[in-house]
Amino acid sequence: DIVLANLEGTITDFPSVARSDVLRFTFDPSVAAYLKRIGFTTFSLANNHAHDCGNDGIAQTRANLAKNGLEFFGSYFNDGSISRIDEVGGMKIGFIGYNAFGGEGGDRVFDEVRRLDPLTDYVVVMPHWGVEYSRERTLTQQKLAHAWIDVGAECGRSRGPAGYRAALGSPPQEHNLADGRPWFDPSADTLKAW
């Protein structure tokens, strides 16, 4: 199984800072062993606090996760290893991390979905975005999420309904098929939606 979460901060030996002018999240290196012990397996590092301690903090975070057998993908700048592939129950699942607050735009995700498509059974996009303390999605988020889903559909059309791939960019309830079944329902005719 995969137990996946967004690591909203770094795991370093640097001190955390919480002042009115600076907010820097970092966790003691012992936290990585604890996260492993309670069952986590994989973390997205694609978020606005992944670079709180600079490049040294990113390196320490990756090293602390790896030392404890924890996997990771994504980055603050949307560069390097923004994805990974895991096998669960005989299915290969590609995970892509996207941070809306740093680095390249969401176009990198399109390329990564297309790259992972022939290598996986499913592709999941895990965006870190939004206006803090707001439950409302912005128009930019909605457009980008729907564009990612269109890329997933494009990949699915190249294989037909039995080999459908999907890129999830926002809550699944927003993307129901015409017959009311969710996009990920294997009994649904996935091409109807497109």
Side-chain angles (χ1 to χ4, degrees), residues 45 114 128 173:
L45 304 182
R114 289 183 182 108
H128 187 76
Q173 66 271 20

Side-chain angles (χ1 to χ4, degrees), residues 6-12 14-27 44-62 65 74-78 98-103 127-130 132-133:
N6 172 45
L7 184 62
E8 184 81 9
T10 58
I11 299 177
T12 72
F14 297 120
S16 286
V17 177
R19 298 189 317 247
S20 60
D21 60 333
V22 176
L23 183 59
R24 185 171 70 195
F25 294 144
T26 188
F27 311 106
S44 173
L45 304 182
N47 66 69
N48 57 313
H49 288 287
H51 199 253
D52 279 5
C53 296
N55 291 336
D56 288 343
I58 291 170
Q60 279 192 42
T61 299
R62 289 176 176 169
L65 291 172
S75 77
Y76 175 85
F77 296 107
N78 299 313
Y98 169 68
N99 175 24
F101 305 104
H128 187 76
W129 56 13
E132 262 192 290
Y133 309 113

Side-chain angles (χ1 to χ4, degrees), residues 81-158:
S81 299
I82 68 167
S83 68
R84 68 170 290 103
I85 298 173
D86 286 305
E87 190 166 329
V88 179
M91 291 188 314
K92 290 184 179 177
I93 303 171
F95 295 96
I96 301 171
Y98 169 68
N99 175 24
F101 305 104
E104 295 182 31
D107 290 349
R108 174 98 196 274
V109 173
F110 298 127
D111 294 337
E112 198 65 6
V113 169
R114 289 183 182 108
R115 186 185 75 77
L116 292 181
D117 175 61
L119 306 173
T120 62
D121 296 299
Y122 296 96
V123 174
V124 177
V125 177
M126 190 170 168
H128 187 76
W129 56 13
V131 178
E132 262 192 290
Y133 309 113
S134 172
R135 294 179 183 259
E136 301 299 317
R137 286 177 291 283
T138 67
L139 184 59
T140 300
Q141 287 173 291
Q142 291 175 36
K143 285 181 177 181
L144 194 52
H146 286 279
W148 290 341
I149 290 167
D150 288 346
V151 169
E154 167 195 311
C155 293
R157 277 197 295 270
S158 69

